[in-house]
């Protein structure tokens, strides 16, 4: 006697979310650009092109008063000013991410992104790539992990760049310590 196995179609299918963190012109070739950030652009674009799940990206977003903010007083370099070219995604990611979810954020981590992920239980895993490993990538990874501790949160180290190589490695170690899966 065979028992029919019923599938529950009332729940949405699980899915993987790839989040591209701050791959903006100012962080790659602009006012805060680095050779390390430039070196990962094509790797990130290839990962986005191969990804078969949902896509999202963040945009570091500031106004002209940036230098008057707490962050601006600690990092007095105008960058990612909304409406200016440096705020835009790098050219090779504009088309592949045209239909992705966008999360503008005024600071390192996006509470809106983490809240979205926390509320969407159909998301089975989240992978992060982008810049800067030691500021915005680690901040977003930790926010997501704090809001969904049982969710698989991954970071592809080969598709991330830090402010320095040492800071990149330190951030990767911090994420490993917080049960975020770091791989290359």
């Amino acid at each position: 006697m065979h028992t029919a196995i019923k599938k529950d179609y009332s729940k949405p299918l699980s899915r993987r979310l790839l989040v591209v963190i701050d791959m903006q012109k100012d962080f790659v070739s602009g006012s805060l650009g680095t050779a390390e950030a430039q070196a990962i652009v094509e790797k990130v674009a290839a990962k986005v092109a191969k990804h078969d799940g949902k896509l999202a990206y963040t945009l570091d977003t500031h106004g002209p008063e940036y230098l008057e903010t707490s962050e601006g007083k600690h990092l007095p370099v105008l960058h990612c000013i909304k409406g200016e070219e440096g705020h835009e995604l790098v050219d090779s990611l504009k088309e592949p991410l045209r239909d992705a979810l966008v999360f503008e954020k005024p600071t390192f981590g996006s509470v809106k992104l983490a809240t979205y992920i926390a509320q969407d239980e159909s998301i089975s895993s989240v992978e992060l790539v982008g810049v800067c490993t030691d500021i915005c990538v680690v901040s977003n990874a930790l926010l997501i992990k704090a809001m969904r501790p049982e969710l698989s949160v991954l970071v592809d180290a080969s598709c991330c760049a830090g402010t320095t190589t040492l800071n990149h490695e330190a951030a990767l170690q911090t994420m490993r310590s917080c049960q975020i899966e770091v791989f290359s």
Side-chain angles (χ1 to χ4, degrees), residues 5 14 16 18-19 25 28 55 60-61 66 68 75 80 82 86 90 107 109 111-112 117-118 122 130 136 149 179:
I5 298 174
S14 65
R16 299 175 320 117
L18 175 63
V19 182
K25 291 181 179 181
V28 175
L55 294 167
D60 194 48
T61 304
Y66 170 76
E68 299 166 24
L75 178 63
C80 300
K82 189 167 183 162
V90 293
T107 188
V111 173
K112 288 181 182 178
I117 292 167
S122 72
C136 295
Q179 301 173 1

Side-chain angles (χ1 to χ4, degrees), residues 68-121:
E68 299 166 24
T69 68
S70 177
E71 180 183 326
K73 290 175 183 168
H74 290 90
L75 178 63
V77 177
L78 283 175
H79 66 281
C80 300
I81 306 299
K82 189 167 183 162
E84 294 187 9
E85 185 178 3
H87 182 255
E88 297 174 10
L89 283 173
V90 293
D91 291 338
S92 62
L93 288 173
K94 286 180 182 178
E95 181 61 24
L97 291 174
R98 76 179 178 287
D99 296 325
L101 296 168
V102 183
F103 295 89
E104 290 191 349
K105 57 185 187 59
T107 188
F108 313 125
S110 173
V111 173
K112 288 181 182 178
L113 170 65
T115 300
Y116 168 79
I117 292 167
Q119 293 174 347
D120 188 344
E121 293 181 11

